[in-house]
């Protein structure tokens, strides 16, 4: 559930019966489940100093995620998923079994930390004897986690792929971009292709779901945290076009 959809539903007095999400957007779903308002959610994300959440694991040279968990605990404290008024499912991938894990009960902060564990960025999060990573590895649109017979609204924030940018111009001279820049673009497009295929599979299995897909291509980047207002406005305008 994205902030702009939440805002639209509240304005039209549409009751939210159930929530499910994965990765960083699972934080928003959990905030909705504890009845935070759209304005409070936006204010929270705008006030975070993201650099202070960086805590490098010197063994693996990726983020340990301890500071992220500590930050999440400021919001959710020791609340548990099963105690929420709105049923919530937080989804992650269990790397012991390579199967999806649907957290319908557990501490919210630990389920979120598990779902946020983007490979090569965060260390996997350990719960009991299992380690978990971000769910986009298996699917990034968890429609199947919703068991309600009511309308299902699913939001895709994937950007469209664009041609490789292999050259740049400086003082009217054209230069070839370096090996690392070009390979980063290839890796990024490979990831987008994986996510697009995952989404298509989820949508095909749930043809009655209402899909909202704002187009952020060439306007914003996934990590433009300081442009949250633009994200929300674009998504909100797209949501208004959908009959809910």
């Amino acid at each position: 559930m994205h902030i702009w959809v939440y805002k639209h539903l509240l304005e039209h007095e549409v009751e939210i019966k159930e929530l499910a999400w994965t990765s960083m957007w699972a934080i928003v779903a959990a905030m909705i489940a504890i009845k935070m308002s759209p304005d409070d959610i936006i204010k929270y994300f705008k006030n975070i100093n993201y650099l202070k959440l960086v805590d490098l694991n010197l063994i693996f040279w990726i983020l340990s995620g301890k500071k992220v968990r500590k930050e999440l605990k400021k919001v959710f404290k020791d609340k548990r998923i099963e105690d929420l008024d709105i049923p919530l499912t937080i989804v992650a991938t269990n790397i012991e079994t390579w199967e999806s894990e649907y957290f319908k009960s557990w501490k919210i902060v630990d389920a979120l930390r598990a779902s946020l564990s983007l490979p090569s960025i965060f260390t996997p999060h350990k719960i009991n004897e299992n380690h978990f990573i971000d769910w986009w590895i298996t699917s990034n649109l968890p429609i199947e986690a919703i068991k309600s017979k009511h309308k299902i609204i699913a939001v895709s924030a994937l950007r469209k792929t664009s041609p490789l940018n292999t050259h740049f111009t400086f003082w009217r001279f054209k230069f070839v971009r370096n090996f690392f820049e070009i390979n980063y673009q290839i890796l990024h497009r490979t990831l987008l292709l994986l996510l697009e295929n995952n989404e298509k599979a989820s949508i095909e299995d749930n043809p009655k779901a209402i899909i909202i897909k704002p187009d952020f291509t060439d306007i914003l980047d996934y990590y433009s945290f300081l442009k949250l207002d633009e994200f929300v406005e674009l998504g909100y305008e797209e949501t208004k076009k959908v009959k809910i």
Side-chain angles (χ1 to χ4, degrees), residues 75-132:
V75 178
F76 301 104
K77 299 181 172 53
D78 290 319
K79 289 184 173 70
R80 297 183 66 87
I81 298 172
E82 63 268 31
D83 296 331
L84 298 172
D85 292 332
I86 302 175
L88 171 67
T89 303
I90 298 171
V91 195
T93 300
N94 184 328
I95 59 174
E96 262 69 52
T97 63
W98 290 107
E99 294 179 349
S100 300
E101 188 79 25
Y102 299 92
F103 288 101
K104 295 179 181 292
S105 64
W106 207 262
K107 281 188 178 181
I108 296 175
V109 290
D110 283 308
L112 288 175
R113 174 62 185 85
S115 188
L116 288 169
S117 302
L118 188 66
S120 300
I121 304 295
F122 286 102
T123 57
H125 188 57
K126 186 178 181 180
I127 297 178
N128 292 334
E129 298 304 314
N130 295 301
H131 292 81
F132 298 92

Side-chain angles (χ1 to χ4, degrees), residues 3-240:
I3 303 170
W4 50 82
V5 178
Y6 180 38
K7 179 181 176 182
H8 182 78
L9 294 180
L10 285 181
E11 289 176 355
H12 290 78
E13 298 182 346
V14 177
E15 184 181 359
I16 298 172
K17 297 286 189 179
E18 190 176 354
L19 291 161
W21 211 253
T22 186
S23 196
M24 63 178 292
W25 292 111
I27 301 175
V28 177
M31 288 177 167
I32 294 170
I34 65 170
K35 304 295 182 65
M36 286 179 66
S37 71
D39 289 341
D40 286 341
I41 295 173
I42 292 170
K43 183 179 178 181
Y44 171 79
F45 283 109
K46 289 174 73 172
N47 288 339
I48 289 179
N49 185 335
Y50 291 96
L51 290 177
K52 288 186 176 181
L53 299 181
V54 175
D55 53 352
L56 195 63
N57 182 309
L58 296 179
I59 297 176
F60 299 105
W61 286 95
I62 54 179
L63 301 181
S64 73
K66 292 180 180 178
K67 289 186 177 180
V68 170
R69 187 185 183 282
K70 187 176 180 181
E71 177 62 36
L72 291 172
K73 195 160 186 179
K74 292 179 185 177
V75 178
F76 301 104
K77 299 181 172 53
D78 290 319
K79 289 184 173 70
R80 297 183 66 87
I81 298 172
E82 63 268 31
D83 296 331
L84 298 172
D85 292 332
I86 302 175
L88 171 67
T89 303
I90 298 171
V91 195
T93 300
N94 184 328
I95 59 174
E96 262 69 52
T97 63
W98 290 107
E99 294 179 349
S100 300
E101 188 79 25
Y102 299 92
F103 288 101
K104 295 179 181 292
S105 64
W106 207 262
K107 281 188 178 181
I108 296 175
V109 290
D110 283 308
L112 288 175
R113 174 62 185 85
S115 188
L116 288 169
S117 302
L118 188 66
S120 300
I121 304 295
F122 286 102
T123 57
H125 188 57
K126 186 178 181 180
I127 297 178
N128 292 334
E129 298 304 314
N130 295 301
H131 292 81
F132 298 92
I133 58 175
D134 195 320
W135 196 51
W136 65 258
I137 292 295
T138 50
S139 179
N140 52 294
L141 203 63
I143 303 174
E144 74 281 354
I146 297 289
K147 302 303 180 184
S148 172
K149 294 181 180 179
H150 298 276
K151 287 183 179 179
I152 296 176
I153 302 172
V155 183
S156 168
L158 290 182
R159 295 170 60 189
K160 293 179 181 178
T161 55
S162 56
L164 286 179
N165 184 4
T166 57
H167 293 76
F168 68 96
T169 302
F170 182 72
W171 281 9
R172 291 188 286 183
F173 293 99
K174 197 171 185 179
F175 298 91
V176 177
R177 293 189 180 275
N178 66 50
F179 170 85
F180 296 103
E181 288 181 297
I182 293 175
N183 274 276
Y184 168 77
Q185 291 184 56
I186 294 172
L187 181 61
H188 184 251
R189 282 156 178 76
T190 302
L191 173 59
L192 282 178
L193 180 61
L194 170 66
L195 296 177
E196 286 173 1
N197 288 335
N198 284 343
E199 280 196 356
K200 287 178 182 177
S202 294
I203 293 169
E204 287 172 0
D205 290 340
N206 299 273
K208 293 184 179 180
I210 300 170
I211 309 299
I212 300 174
K213 194 167 184 175
D215 185 5
F216 298 123
T217 309
D218 299 326
I219 301 174
L220 300 170
D221 189 77
Y222 289 125
Y223 307 106
S224 300
F225 297 116
L226 299 180
K227 296 182 179 180
L228 184 58
D229 288 331
E230 288 95 325
F231 266 115
V232 173
E233 185 60 30
L234 284 168
Y236 180 72
E237 290 301 318
E238 190 65 29
T239 303
K240 289 198 299 185

